Amino acid sequence: MRVRFWGTRGSIPVALTAADIRDKLAAALLAAGGRKFASFSEACAYAQQELPHSLTHTFGGHTSCVELDAGDDEYYVCDMGSGARAFGAHVLARQGGRPATVNVFMSHMHWDHMMGFPFFGPAYVPRTRLRIHGCHEALEHAFRLQQSPPGFPVPFDTLGASIEFVRLEPGRAHLVSSLGVTPLLQRHSGDSYGYRFERGGRSVVYSTDSEHKLEDPAETERFVRFFRGADLVIFDAMYSLADAVSVKADWGHSSNVVGVEICQIAGARHLVLFHHEPANDDAAIDSLLRDARRLEELTRGARSPLQVSAAHDGLEIDL
Ligand SMILES: [Zn+2]
Ligand SMILES: [Zn+2]
């Protein structure tokens, strides 16, 4: 399985400002120290291999959209945040005119998780099949409402694709084409659901918009079971621990620290910090990532190492 991140920001899309780009360029020029490059590709290789990650990347501009490429003819994607526009372009390019079958798994229907759907190209293509899975009763209503006047000019009913809504039962294992999937209820305003996907002995957990109360052992145990031995856990780490337990307690999100703790107990292999706070710039996200890696090292003990990353749009992980 290959996991592709098309949108990794929480709540609202963000973009680098002109000043951000100027500062990264100036720092890169300084780092290069007058070095000459014979070609664009030589300069690219230098940027890729030698410049600090903080100068050549930016963390998540688009809101939640994560593709699971199972290596078969169908598409599987978690959430339809603003990253769905770029994901849709990828699907159309890869299909080259052939109609696609796309399986969508919705964590919940907060706007940042569905705002990309009206811009998802394949929805406009006749003979495309969209199966939108979720556990909320209001799933279909929310999609229709988003494209109702006066919010959007194209009504849902005029979309060219055939669109089916599929209710999944939380806590039960389902088979969706070639992918095993189990949803789990999460603590979030209006409820959200995490998904554990299994295929060919590999497992990926997508768990966003989920607040954890570690003082409740039964609840922690529920998530430890859900994350158990996962190859990859995509985790809502919107806040620092300090924010998550003070000002932003009960805001429905979690932290880098809690992600490390649950993944360690569950014996997961790779934790990806996800749903970045829109107010955090690249340096702030880098610092949350460094803190999480340091915590993992300090508390690892006899356990095997947990790899920790921070998601950015364009990140691909092979399992
Ligand atoms: Zn969200
Ligand atoms: Zn939410």
Side-chain angles (χ1 to χ4, degrees):
M1 262 194 300
R2 171 173 288 182
V3 180
R4 279 192 200 97
F5 293 82
W6 295 97
T8 56
R9 184 68 63 167
S11 303
I12 190 164
V14 298
L16 288 178
T17 63
D20 293 331
I21 292 172
R22 178 202 60 206
D23 293 350
K24 280 181 193 270
L25 273 176
L29 288 169
L30 261 184
R35 193 172 151 156
K36 293 256 188 300
F37 302 98
S39 65
F40 180 77
S41 59
E42 199 179 295
C44 269
Y46 168 77
Q48 187 73 33
Q49 288 153 24
E50 293 184 49
L51 282 180
H53 193 259
S54 59
L55 298 183
T56 56
H57 284 70
T58 185
F59 294 104
H62 280 304
T63 61
S64 302
C65 185
V66 178
E67 178 193 1
L68 274 74
D69 186 339
D72 62 22
D73 287 344
E74 301 193 3
Y75 294 86
Y76 307 87
V77 62
C78 295
D79 284 338
M80 286 271 115
S82 68
R85 191 192 61 78
F87 168 59
H90 160 81
V91 171
L92 294 179
R94 215 171 96 168
Q95 290 302 111
R98 288 172 296 125
T101 298
V102 183
N103 298 286
V104 180
F105 299 90
M106 293 296 299
S107 61
H108 63 317
M109 295 88 75
H110 280 164
W111 192 38
D112 54 319
H113 296 259
M114 34 188 305
M115 58 167 58
F117 185 76
F119 301 92
F120 180 58
Y124 293 81
V125 177
R127 294 192 299 131
T128 296
R129 287 188 67 191
L130 298 183
R131 285 195 217 107
I132 303 178
H133 303 78
C135 303
H136 291 81
E137 203 183 320
L139 184 66
E140 178 168 357
H141 171 70
F143 275 83
R144 290 182 172 278
L145 187 67
Q146 175 168 246
Q147 288 184 239
S148 300
F152 197 75
V154 185
F156 188 88
D157 277 329
T158 63
L159 294 173
S162 86
I163 303 174
E164 184 189 348
F165 288 89
V166 185
R167 281 281 294 285
L168 299 178
E169 193 184 318
R172 240 198 70 207
H174 305 261
L175 188 66
V176 173
S177 296
S178 69
L179 218 54
V181 53
T182 307
L184 186 78
L185 175 66
Q186 305 179 134
R187 180 189 294 268
H188 193 65
S189 163
D191 292 341
S192 72
Y193 294 87
Y195 292 97
R196 182 179 173 118
F197 299 95
E198 315 264 355
R199 188 176 197 268
R202 299 285 173 187
S203 46
V204 177
V205 173
Y206 177 76
S207 176
T208 193
D209 296 62
S210 174
E211 183 166 3
H212 297 270
K213 301 279 185 198
L214 291 184
E215 61 271 25
D216 178 349
E219 193 185 300
T220 305
E221 180 51 33
R222 222 163 53 85
F223 280 89
V224 167
R225 276 203 305 275
F226 194 54
F227 290 9
R228 177 75 68 205
D231 294 291
L232 185 67
V233 175
I234 300 160
F235 187 84
D236 172 359
M238 191 160 176
Y239 304 141
S240 66
L241 181 65
D243 275 346
V245 297
S246 58
V247 254
K248 293 173 181 171
D250 301 319
W251 284 24
H253 296 283
S254 190
S255 74
N256 53 347
V257 170
V258 172
V260 168
E261 288 181 351
I262 301 181
C263 283
Q264 278 180 328
I265 304 171
R269 291 199 176 79
H270 189 172
L271 163 68
V272 175
L273 310 178
F274 182 75
H275 202 273
H276 306 303
E277 157 68 46
N280 282 350
D281 61 12
D282 286 338
I285 296 170
D286 250 334
S287 142
L288 288 171
L289 174 60
R290 268 198 311 276
D291 290 350
R293 285 179 171 162
R294 183 92 187 105
L295 173 73
E296 189 279 326
E297 271 171 35
L298 290 171
T299 55
R300 186 184 300 158
R303 288 184 276 242
S304 36
L306 165 70
Q307 188 181 346
V308 185
S309 310
H312 61 83
D313 298 9
L315 174 66
E316 293 192 358
I317 296 175
D318 284 320
L319 300 173

